[in-house]
């Protein structure tokens, strides 16, 4: 097969004709308007982010986390312009997959379609796990206590058990472990076993996925009505939280506003970006819109604007009600009102969280089958994936498969793993959609829709912005910049040190610290992690203590390639910036999609190198399927487009 055939492209007019003529497939029902699309966007965006991940982001960044919400909203806004332009140009199901087929060709389209599984399917695993946490918490408050081993995923239980064992090995008692580790330890030890396998599985997550899949299978009208109802409920609850919480705000809690500086604010980038994932799912419903070219762009923009306002208000209220460093909990809204002895509000929030996350599940569970349906229409997946139910007018087979793909991992995977995988898959799709608009901007043979991204020439603006960023880094942030370039070694935190020690090393370090500890030694919490943590407030003192520990250097510091590998994503980002500066200067690129590409790639660079590795492995699996099945079954196989 010729290399050029890997990049064979679909013609926009052919795609539109294919849908108009059904091309052997049944058409989807058209029921959606602007308010429905905006509601779907709000349903997808306001979910696990505002009820869960906002707590961790606020704990890291303090009240200044609102700037991270603004930055993420702007980045998503730039990407939304690109999505809206493509949706107006190619108003069919398929989202970024279809757009990439037009802009880049088949191999890139396949990669995007495969990557989008990590947004919709893997993203739904994340939301199902969060939903399960709130639902079981609600049952607990009502006096119904399920065994821990049927309400926790296997990975969290196993990891928590081994971390708890390592900390107890360092002298910490079980009673002094944090609540999450105790729960994981109990779930793992109390679970029934088959040989050495502990049977731990998140059954409530399975339950909600089955129910949502059944609703999505039933029809778009039913899904739309359920989504609109759930959106009204959760917006009312959020307004109630803001209205009540504002009376308990203590402005002293906003000082310091950015306690951990810019690094602390940016530390929450994955959690905050995850809070915005979902606005692009609207584009998968293009064939079910009454007027997609007009309504899709409006629906996306309204969803992002409304949700950003709510996120900023909630963040300010939360960090004003309690100190930022107390918010690193799984249910920050319920926690804050419970801490202020407003139990009735905690109950209302728990109920609304269950509703909110169910609405996110609904939107994502609609998105994935429609991606697969589009890929099947093109021959890249078996024909059954494009099967439309004759009565319900939904992609029936693809919806059922999506249910299985989401349900099974939800039983076993943990929240952090799937959140980061979901984020990197989504950001990758955003990067290519923005790049697609740039590739097509100067092509005059492409049919244009009613919406077009406002054009601002980046020829001089972007290179100047890049130069300004370099100057700022070396003048105002020189120490951190030089440390990054020189790959200076970084000291490990107490938890990292303790959990990496053998039993004998832990005993040796513990005995040494009891002898030299200059802090209070009368407290009951005299475990290894606690003693080391007591030095953290003074970086100089902590470094001196760690340097004196009777341990090898690699246990105290991260250096060499072990440290450099974590910087590889950022180096990829920096090298790409240079390429983009040259491209923008030579081709007069449009500034808005270019900034969208840069912002999304920067957020990808903030994710760990392990996420990049896992994502790369996922893409390689996808390429194996493409060359094994999709390449020869593609409807463009042998055609000249």
């Amino acid at each position: 097969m010729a290399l050029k055939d890997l990049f064979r492209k679909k013609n926009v007019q052919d795609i539109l004709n294919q849908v108009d003529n059904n091309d052997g497939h049944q058409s989807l029902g058209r029921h959606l308007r602007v308010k429905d699309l905006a509601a779907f966007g709000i349903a997808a965006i306001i979910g696990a982010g505002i009820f869960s991940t906002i707590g961790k982001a606020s704990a890291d960044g303090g009240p200044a986390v609102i700037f991270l919400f603004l930055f993420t909203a702007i980045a998503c806004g730039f990407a939304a312009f690109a999505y809206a332009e493509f949706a107006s140009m190619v108003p069919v199901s398929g989202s970024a997959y279809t757009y990439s087929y037009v802009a880049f060709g088949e191999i890139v389209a396949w990669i995007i379609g495969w990557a989008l599984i990590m947004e919709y399917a893997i993203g739904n695993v994340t939301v199902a796990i969060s939903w399960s946490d709130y639902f079981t918490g609600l049952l607990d408050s009502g006096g119904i206590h399920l065994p821990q081993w049927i309400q926790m995923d296997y990975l969290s239980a196993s990891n928590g058990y081994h971390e708890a064992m390592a900390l107890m090995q360092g002298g910490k008692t079980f009673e002094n472990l944090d609540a999450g580790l105790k729960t994981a330890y109990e779930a793992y030890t109390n679970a029934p076993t088959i040989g050495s396998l502990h049977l731990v599985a998140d059954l409530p997550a399975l339950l909600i996925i089955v129910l949502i899949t059944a609703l999505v299978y039933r029809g778009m009208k039913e899904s739309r009505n359920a989504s609109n109802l759930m959106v009204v409920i959760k917006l009312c609850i959020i307004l109630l939280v803001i209205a009540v919480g504002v009376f308990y705000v203590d402005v002293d809690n906003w000082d310091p506003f950015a306690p951990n500086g810019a690094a602390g604010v940016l530390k929450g980038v994955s959690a905050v970006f995850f809070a915005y994932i979902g606005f692009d799912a609207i584009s998968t419903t293009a064939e079910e819109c009454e007027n997609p070219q007009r309504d899709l762009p409006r629906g996306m923009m309204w969803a992002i604007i409304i949700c950003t306002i709510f996120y900023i208000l909630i963040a300010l209220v939360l960090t004003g009600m309690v100190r930022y460093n107390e918010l690193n909990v799984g249910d920050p809204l319920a926690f804050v009102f419970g801490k202020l002895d407003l139990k009735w509000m905690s109950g209302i929030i728990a109920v609304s969280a269950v509703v909110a996350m169910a609405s996110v599940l609904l939107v994502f569970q609609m998105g994935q089958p429609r991606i697969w349906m589009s890929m099947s229409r093109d021959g890249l997946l078996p024909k059954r994936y494009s099967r439309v139910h004759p009565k319900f007018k939904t992609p029936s087979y693809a919806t059922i498969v999506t249910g299985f793909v989401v349900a099974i991992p939800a039983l076993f995977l943990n929240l952090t793993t799937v959140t980061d995988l979901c984020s990197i898959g989504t950001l990758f799709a955003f990067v290519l959609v923005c790049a697609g608009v740039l590739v097509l901007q100067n092509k005059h043979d492409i049919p244009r829709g009613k919406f077009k991204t406002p054009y601002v020439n980046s020829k001089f603006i972007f290179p100047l912005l890049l130069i300004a960023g370099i100057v700022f880094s070396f003048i105002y942030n020189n120490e951190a910049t030089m440390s990054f370039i020189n790959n200076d070694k970084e000291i490990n935190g107490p938890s990292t040190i303790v959990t990496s020690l053998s039993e004998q090393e832990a005993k040796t370090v513990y005995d040494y610290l009891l002898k030299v500890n200059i802090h209070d030694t009368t407290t009951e919490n005299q475990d290894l992690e606690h003693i080391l943590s007591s030095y953290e407030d003074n970086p100089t003192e902590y470094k001196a203590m760690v340097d004196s520990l009777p341990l090898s250097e690699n246990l105290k510091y991260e250096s060499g390639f072990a440290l450099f590998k974590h910087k590889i994503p950022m180096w990829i980002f920096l090298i790409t910036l240079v390429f983009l500066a040259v491209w923008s200067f030579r081709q007069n690129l449009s500034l808005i999609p270019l900034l969208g590409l840069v912002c999304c790639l920067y957020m990808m660079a903030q994710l760990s190198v392990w996420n990049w590795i896992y994502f790369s492995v996922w893409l390689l699996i996808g390429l194996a399927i493409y060359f094994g099945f999709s390449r020869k079954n593609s409807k463009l196989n042998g055609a000249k487009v």
Side-chain angles (χ1 to χ4, degrees):
M1 182 179 185
L3 181 63
K4 66 178 182 179
D5 287 342
L6 293 176
F7 297 93
R8 53 198 177 192
K9 300 175 182 178
K10 293 189 73 174
N11 183 284
V12 174
Q13 195 57 54
D14 288 342
I15 295 174
L16 299 178
N17 291 339
Q18 177 185 3
V19 175
D20 291 338
N21 299 328
N22 295 333
D23 196 26
H25 306 284
Q26 289 182 290
S27 60
L28 302 175
R30 294 186 178 271
H31 306 290
L32 304 178
R33 300 179 180 178
V34 173
K35 63 179 179 61
D36 302 313
L37 293 168
F40 275 137
I42 295 168
I45 296 172
I46 297 184
I50 206 162
F51 288 99
S52 181
T53 58
I54 194 174
K56 175 69 166 63
S58 298
D60 290 332
V65 75
I66 64 170
F67 295 121
L68 184 54
F69 280 114
L70 280 173
F71 169 73
T72 308
I74 291 170
C76 288
F78 288 150
F81 271 108
Y83 266 92
E85 182 165 338
F86 266 123
S88 181
M89 184 192 310
V90 194
V92 299
S93 295
S95 186
Y97 158 76
T98 301
Y99 309 154
S100 296
Y101 220 146
V102 172
F104 301 109
E106 186 171 279
I107 185 68
V108 178
W110 168 265
I111 290 172
I112 280 292
W114 187 250
L116 284 174
I117 297 174
M118 301 193 86
E119 175 179 0
Y120 297 118
I122 303 301
N124 248 3
V125 174
T126 306
V127 182
I129 294 170
S130 295
W131 183 92
S132 175
D133 291 342
Y134 266 96
F135 179 70
T136 52
L138 193 60
L139 292 181
D140 285 340
S141 65
I144 302 174
H145 305 291
L146 301 177
Q148 292 292 346
W149 54 273
I150 68 168
Q151 56 176 294
M152 177 175 286
D153 62 274
Y154 178 84
L155 202 57
S156 290
S158 177
N159 291 346
Y161 169 81
H162 289 102
E163 185 176 346
M165 290 295 292
L167 291 173
M168 289 191 286
Q169 176 180 285
K172 188 183 283 288
T173 62
F174 179 78
E175 291 72 22
N176 288 327
L177 294 173
D178 67 47
L181 285 182
K182 284 197 276 191
T183 300
Y185 181 90
E186 290 172 343
Y188 193 79
T189 54
N190 294 332
T193 58
I194 297 178
S196 60
L197 176 64
H198 292 246
L199 300 179
V200 183
D202 196 339
L203 295 185
L206 174 65
L207 171 66
I208 189 60
I209 291 168
V210 170
L211 292 175
I212 292 295
T213 301
L215 178 60
V216 172
Y217 182 90
R218 181 69 177 76
M220 178 55 76
K221 269 189 178 180
E222 291 76 8
S223 300
R224 177 198 65 189
N225 295 338
S227 172
N228 289 347
L229 176 61
M230 287 188 281
V231 165
V232 169
I233 291 173
K234 65 182 175 183
L235 289 186
C236 288
I237 297 300
I238 291 171
L239 288 171
L240 178 63
V241 167
I242 295 170
V244 174
V246 73
F247 292 102
Y248 293 87
V249 168
D250 181 354
V251 293
D252 290 340
N253 288 331
W254 290 338
D255 185 21
F257 198 73
N260 299 315
V265 173
L266 291 172
K267 191 175 180 182
V269 68
S270 175
V272 169
F273 176 73
F274 182 75
Y276 277 94
I277 287 177
F279 77 84
D280 59 310
I282 301 172
S283 63
T284 67
T285 66
E287 285 181 47
E288 292 148 292
C289 298
E290 292 183 359
N291 189 340
Q293 293 187 317
R294 181 196 66 193
D295 295 346
L296 275 170
R298 294 181 182 181
M300 286 185 193
M301 296 304 176
W302 276 117
I304 292 175
I305 292 169
I306 292 170
C307 292
T308 300
I309 293 170
F310 278 123
Y311 275 141
I312 290 174
L313 291 175
I314 285 289
L316 288 174
V317 168
L318 283 181
T319 54
M321 292 174 71
V322 301
R323 293 291 292 176
Y324 69 92
N325 54 8
E326 298 180 50
L327 290 171
N328 189 12
V329 294
D331 53 347
L333 269 66
F335 166 79
V336 165
F337 285 97
K339 184 177 177 63
L340 296 177
D341 205 28
L342 297 172
K343 304 294 185 185
W344 62 275
M345 277 294 294
S346 295
I348 291 174
I349 289 167
V351 173
S352 66
V354 169
V355 173
M357 292 183 194
S359 70
V360 179
L361 281 164
L362 175 65
V363 176
F364 278 21
Q365 208 72 352
M366 285 193 310
Q368 184 61 65
R370 285 154 179 79
I371 300 289
W372 280 340
M373 180 183 71
S374 294
M375 296 174 76
S376 175
R377 286 174 173 174
D378 297 328
L380 304 187
L381 287 177
K383 192 172 181 179
R384 63 178 70 96
Y385 281 86
S386 57
R387 188 182 300 158
V388 175
H389 195 284
K391 178 180 177 182
F392 302 139
K393 301 297 182 184
T394 58
S396 52
Y397 182 83
T399 298
I400 293 172
V401 174
T402 299
F404 279 102
V405 170
V406 175
I408 294 173
L411 293 172
F412 308 109
L413 295 181
N414 70 9
L415 193 62
T416 302
T417 301
V418 288
T419 298
D420 288 346
L421 286 175
C422 176
S423 294
I424 195 168
T426 307
L427 285 166
F428 183 67
F430 285 10
V431 165
L432 284 191
V433 170
C434 292
V437 171
L438 297 174
V439 168
L440 297 181
Q441 72 171 33
N442 294 322
K443 295 188 176 181
H444 303 294
D445 57 341
I446 301 293
R448 301 292 174 179
K450 296 179 181 177
F451 179 87
K452 197 172 188 306
T453 305
Y455 177 78
V456 178
N457 192 338
S458 65
K459 182 181 181 73
F460 298 110
I461 297 176
F462 186 76
L464 286 174
L465 287 174
L466 181 58
I467 293 170
I470 294 172
V471 171
F472 177 86
S473 297
F474 281 98
I475 294 179
Y476 297 101
N477 199 27
N478 184 65
E479 184 177 348
T481 301
M482 294 308 300
S483 177
F484 176 85
I485 293 173
N486 296 328
N487 200 39
D488 294 341
K489 65 181 182 180
E490 295 180 3
I491 195 165
N492 287 325
S495 181
T496 302
I497 293 174
V498 172
T499 54
S500 63
L501 301 180
S502 67
E503 187 173 354
Q504 183 56 49
E505 288 170 331
K507 186 178 186 306
T508 301
V509 172
Y510 183 71
D511 292 339
Y512 173 80
L513 284 175
L514 287 183
K515 291 178 183 177
V516 303
N517 185 16
I518 62 174
H519 292 165
D520 182 17
T521 59
T522 61
T523 176
E524 296 179 1
N525 296 324
Q526 280 306 294
D527 61 84
L528 185 51
E529 185 191 29
H530 176 81
I531 298 172
L532 278 175
S533 297
S534 67
Y535 291 86
E536 273 196 301
D537 289 339
N538 187 324
T540 303
E541 193 177 275
Y542 177 70
K543 182 178 184 303
M545 174 55 73
V546 170
D547 284 337
S548 71
L549 293 177
L551 292 172
S552 61
E553 187 77 0
N554 66 304
L555 292 174
K556 302 176 188 178
Y557 288 90
E558 194 169 32
S559 59
F561 183 75
L563 176 62
F564 176 77
K565 67 185 179 186
H566 298 297
K567 299 178 180 179
I568 292 175
M570 184 54 69
W571 278 112
I572 292 173
F573 170 72
L574 295 174
I575 293 168
T576 304
L577 283 183
V578 176
F579 165 76
L580 290 175
V582 174
W583 190 24
S584 66
F585 185 81
R586 296 179 62 182
Q587 298 294 326
N588 299 320
L589 298 181
S590 177
L591 183 64
I592 290 178
L594 180 61
L595 291 178
L597 190 160
V598 169
C599 290
C600 292
L601 188 60
Y602 173 76
M603 287 191 282
M604 282 183 70
Q606 292 297 313
L607 298 174
S608 78
V609 68
W610 295 112
N611 292 315
W612 285 65
I613 292 172
Y614 297 149
F615 183 60
S616 298
V617 171
W618 177 257
L619 292 183
L620 288 175
I621 294 171
L623 287 174
I625 295 173
Y626 174 77
F627 286 106
F629 173 86
S630 305
R631 174 179 61 87
K632 61 188 176 193
N633 287 284
S634 168
K635 291 188 177 180
L636 295 186
N637 191 21
K640 296 185 182 299
V641 180

